[in-house]
Amino acid sequence: MSSMDLRLDTSGDYYARKFQPTKREDTLILNMGPQHPSTHGVLRILLEIEGEYILRADPVLGYVHRMHEKMGEVMSYPQYYPNPPRTDYLHALAWNWAHVAAVERLMGIEVPERAEYIRVITCELNRITSHLLWWGAYLLDLGAFTPIMYSFDDRERIQDILQRITGSRLTYCYYRFGGVSDDIDDRFVEDTRRHCAVMKERFKMFKSLVTDNFILRKRVEEIGEIPLETCRKYGATGPVLRGSGKAYDVRRAEPYSVYDRFDFNIPAYDTCDAMGRYLVRMDEMQESIKIIEQALDTLPEGDYIHPKAPKRPKPPVGDIYFALEGARGKIGIHLVSDGGKSPYRIKLRAPGYSNLSLFSEVAQGTLISDAVSILGSLDLVIPEIDR
Amino acid sequence: MDEKKAKPEKPAGVVKAAKQEESAEPIYTGYDSDCFIERQDLLNAVQKLDQAGFFLEDVSCMHITEGFHLVYHFDRFDQPGRMGLRVVLDRENPEVDSISEIYPGASWHERECFDFFGVRFTGHPNLIPLLLDPDFEGPPPLLKEESALKDLNHLYPDRGHTGISPESADFTREINNCSNQKSRNKS
């Protein structure tokens, strides 16, 4: 018995060994995740810590990698409909839209005006559900339990509205080449209007309950400061970029669909901290409601899908890059067609991928508890990052 | 904004184009400027884009008959417009300089290309698997079978595939004129 070696194997796995070499002997290598609740899924971060302070951080990805890009190459265009929405399950319609719009533009498929309006309305509703879930989950990370109950209440109501017309609650697959799969009805319009009015009141309550809360502010203000130049170097977009003071939004910078007809602001805060990113998302929900209300007011009559939209598209040879604004930033699809019935190459640009890549730099020198706050403020959806 | 409503957003009769199959020109490409450059000029070209205030969107790789075709997508915050830098690597030696010194965000995009295609990036600080399992055996998953490969002339007909020099006046003009003012009306 005395000869038994009781020392732990501390060499770790492949990534831990790659991460390990360090000259200091008083530091500790710690695995945060892949089961850590604050990583919202299966993100693993290797940390070298000295006491409570992070000296180095290195995210390890790939735990939910499903190779959507390869699936795109072996499936025909319509078969691939359900895949992009399953990468980012929180803002599924934006990915659905990116895929559909890339093919439409490559082929020159016309989309009826009514369909474009329906897309704007549903996509913005979905953006609100995404931000609401982020809001509840982020506060849960920071130790506040109540807000997620309110956010899920509102989120479920929006999901009920979307479920009636899209048939699903989370991984929507509603847009089709040339339009949407089904028309909206009066009840949808009525429900959406009513809920928009309710939400406006709720935002006031959210502000006084949470945003103005002293404890929250202590956890987010001046935490995780990301200078604008860092955002540019890492290609960060969406609320992360706007929280660093640059009002860059694809809906305005590279207008697609009918967004140029609506009056809305691009909220931006130049505090560069987690609070900036928090406030951007809170404001964005209100801007989305503004867009939805305007779109409902001016909703044109007509087809919801182009009557001659191709069922089995075969785009011409060429490549296309289509980008749009998702809840986490710029979603891009690079589609290369060789004239066949499935893409030669489809590359998905996930905004969270670029946003997370700056974490190593930002986390240096912060407390572990602040790292949780920073991670939450980036609004990560791991399946989107791993694709 | 009201004038925009009046004019038709897309050319009429475009659905027909789909039926004729690969005959019509793509209407919208999403690129406001794109050019082929030689492999050894990459760092120089990216440096120029960095000075011009571009950010890196992604690095997209594809397997072609000649070897590999890398497309670096850049965009700008203040003067939006997409710039595509295209580099062709031969299949015997799929290696190119890493741009992660200039754009640290490129590091993950390059690791992804290494994972999926086996393209190597010289000077990359940490070229290890990112999305794939480090124990994964077999050829990189996005390599195509020989019979499925297409060449540049098939994928990009009607254009030259030789690289332009980043020092040339053409390249400077491409950077300066890169703006989506023209193409945004088409989308």
Side-chain angles (χ1 to χ4, degrees), chain A residues 15 108 232 246 330 344-345, chain B residues 54 57 61 63 75 78 129:
Chain A
Y15 288 103
R232 185 177 75 82
K246 179 62 77 183
K330 190 177 208 170
Y344 187 73
R345 169 87 170 106
Chain B
F54 281 87
E57 285 184 324
C61 185
H63 193 195
D75 206 334
D78 295 316

Side-chain angles (χ1 to χ4, degrees), chain A residues 209-276:
Chain A
L209 177 72
V210 180
T211 312
D212 292 342
N213 186 301
F214 179 75
I215 303 169
L216 170 82
R217 290 187 165 252
K218 281 281 175 200
R219 290 297 307 274
V220 292
E221 279 180 347
E222 293 173 26
I223 300 294
E225 288 183 4
I226 306 174
L228 183 56
E229 184 62 6
T230 307
C231 288
R232 185 177 75 82
K233 289 284 187 182
Y234 283 89
T237 47
V240 177
L241 175 66
R242 293 193 283 275
S244 293
K246 179 62 77 183
Y248 176 84
D249 188 311
V250 186
R251 289 174 292 179
R252 191 54 60 73
E254 210 175 317
Y256 51 95
S257 186
V258 289
Y259 276 109
D260 51 357
R261 300 183 192 175
F262 306 121
D263 172 34
F264 62 100
N265 299 323
I266 310 290
Y269 289 84
D270 57 7
T271 51
C272 302
D273 55 1
M275 189 66 186

Side-chain angles (χ1 to χ4, degrees), chain A residues 105-108 316-318, chain B residues 11 14 17 20 22-29 157-158:
Chain A
R105 276 160 181 71
L106 190 56
M107 294 183 67
V317 174
Chain B
V14 280
Q20 287 164 11
E22 61 181 271
S23 58
E25 279 282 298
I27 297 157
Y28 167 98
T29 63
D158 313 324

Side-chain angles (χ1 to χ4, degrees), chain B residues 149-161:
Chain B
L149 287 177
K150 297 278 177 358
D151 60 7
L152 280 177
N153 286 326
H154 181 98
L155 292 171
Y156 302 97
D158 313 324
R159 65 176 290 176
H161 307 126

Side-chain angles (χ1 to χ4, degrees), chain A residues 132 134-140 142-151 202-221 275 278-279 282 285:
Chain A
L132 278 173
W134 160 80
W135 184 72
Y138 183 40
L139 294 164
L140 202 59
L142 298 179
F145 184 73
T146 317
I148 200 167
M149 294 296 164
Y150 288 111
S151 83
R202 297 283 271 196
F203 290 134
K204 290 177 195 160
M205 189 266 277
F206 289 172
K207 184 172 186 301
S208 51
L209 177 72
V210 180
T211 312
D212 292 342
N213 186 301
F214 179 75
I215 303 169
L216 170 82
R217 290 187 165 252
K218 281 281 175 200
R219 290 297 307 274
V220 292
E221 279 180 347
M275 189 66 186
Y278 173 97
L279 290 172
M282 297 310 279
M285 286 193 268

